[in-house]
Amino acid sequence: MSALEEIRNRAGDAPIEMGMILGSGLGSLADTLEDAVSIPFGALDGMPVSGVSGHAGAVVVGTMEGRRIAILSGRVHYYEQGNAKVMQPAIQLLKGMGAESLLLTNAAGSTRMDLPPQSLMLITDHINYSGMNPLIGDPEDARFVNMVDAYDPDLRARLRRAAGASGVDLKEGVYAWFSGPSFETPAEVKMIGMLGADAVGMSTVPETILARRIGLKVAAVSLITNLGAGLSGEALSHDETKTESAKAKETFSALIRAYVKGE
Ligand code: HPA
């Protein structure tokens, strides 16, 4: 049975309005969906399975603020398998379920002292510093995807309104994708800051490209979990990413809920 058939069997075939992919430590938002049906990635044909701690790996379909949505709790990263298109089946699945847009969230390091840990940052644009592209090998002309306004202007406005409505101080900036899994060096963080990036991380960019390829509108938010390498004098760790992202759970959920409500 295809992944889409399996989802329809278990969760019904009413279309969803949007999909979400939640980053490190942020997956618990999926627990707040009403009438939720959770289907582990492992039960869905063709879906990638993540081994990263903090990334549960399930599609959760349900209702938030009266809207039917699907949350991919947990994502698989490029650095796990060296495959930039690893999330393609998952994103296609969301589209198959009826999603018109995709909200991506991630944990990220900051390149700026005035963008401290616990900041939420609306991604306005990105720098693909990895040199990889998930569309390499795509045989169709549609692979030449326009990346101007890749982060949809209307959805950016919707996120700003959501921040206002929920009292969240939402910063804005450019996200740079480094492949990981090692963290950046201090010299790399300094360089990418000079080149125009406000945050650095190991995800989101390939998913944005894949989503734009199939016409899904994209919005994205980074949760800053640490100052980038070299800015604080402290060593970086995945434990810190998980602890810091857990701390921001309430604020983050308030923003996302208001965004889904969409007023
Ligand atoms: N660099 C890359 N990815 C990250 C970081 C970072 O400093 N923090 C959380 N994810």
Side-chain angles (χ1 to χ4, degrees):
M1 199 187 311
S2 75
L4 189 54
E5 285 166 339
E6 183 74 45
I7 298 250
R8 286 184 172 150
N9 276 349
R10 297 201 196 188
D13 58 7
I16 57 168
E17 288 188 38
M18 66 171 81
M20 285 185 201
I21 300 179
L22 300 177
S24 288
L26 303 172
S28 63
L29 191 62
D31 301 338
T32 68
L33 281 187
E34 295 147 41
D35 304 320
V37 179
S38 176
I39 304 141
F41 281 2
L44 295 169
D45 192 37
M47 288 286 280
V49 177
S50 171
V52 183
S53 61
H55 287 262
V59 181
V60 188
V61 189
T63 307
M64 183 184 284
E65 301 295 335
R67 297 185 191 276
R68 187 167 157 84
I69 68 171
I71 297 182
L72 298 190
S73 169
R75 57 153 58 92
V76 187
H77 300 79
Y78 168 74
Y79 60 70
E80 293 182 58
Q81 304 168 359
N83 174 12
K85 30 170 117 24
V86 64
M87 288 297 282
Q88 194 164 35
I91 293 168
Q92 255 157 1
L93 184 65
L94 292 173
K95 168 110 175 166
M97 293 167 76
E100 290 176 355
S101 68
L102 176 63
L103 176 69
L104 300 166
T105 74
N106 61 53
S110 163
T111 67
R112 289 172 18 201
M113 296 303 283
D114 61 348
L115 186 66
Q118 298 297 312
S119 303
L120 288 172
M121 186 190 92
L122 159 65
I123 298 180
T124 54
D125 200 353
H126 74 224
I127 294 174
N128 182 355
Y129 191 69
S130 74
M132 302 299 155
N133 195 295
L135 301 181
I136 290 175
D138 185 330
E140 300 182 17
D141 274 359
R143 66 188 158 187
F144 300 112
V145 176
N146 166 51
M147 294 299 288
V148 177
D149 284 335
Y151 299 90
D152 188 77
D154 291 339
L155 297 185
R156 270 147 59 189
R158 180 169 174 167
L159 271 167
R160 288 185 197 110
R161 286 195 302 276
S166 55
V168 170
D169 179 18
L170 184 62
K171 313 282 196 217
E172 304 202 3
V174 173
Y175 174 92
W177 177 32
F178 280 73
S179 77
S182 56
F183 284 106
E184 301 73 34
T185 63
E188 286 163 349
V189 167
K190 188 173 173 189
M191 172 200 70
I192 207 72
M194 289 166 67
L195 292 179
D198 303 285
V200 290
M202 307 177 191
S203 68
T204 302
V205 166
E207 293 141 25
T208 297
I209 296 170
L210 288 165
R212 292 307 302 137
R213 166 69 176 83
I214 57 173
L216 281 174
K217 292 179 180 173
V218 176
V221 179
S222 286
L223 164 62
I224 303 297
T225 54
N226 56 280
L227 292 171
L231 288 188
S232 73
E234 279 165 32
L236 306 189
S237 72
H238 186 54
D239 278 347
E240 177 185 48
T241 302
K242 287 191 283 186
T243 317
E244 286 296 315
S245 59
K247 275 196 223 165
K249 228 161 48 183
E250 304 294 318
T251 327
F252 179 76
S253 307
L255 175 69
I256 302 303
R257 282 190 167 281
Y259 171 79
V260 171
K261 198 168 172 192
E263 285 164 355

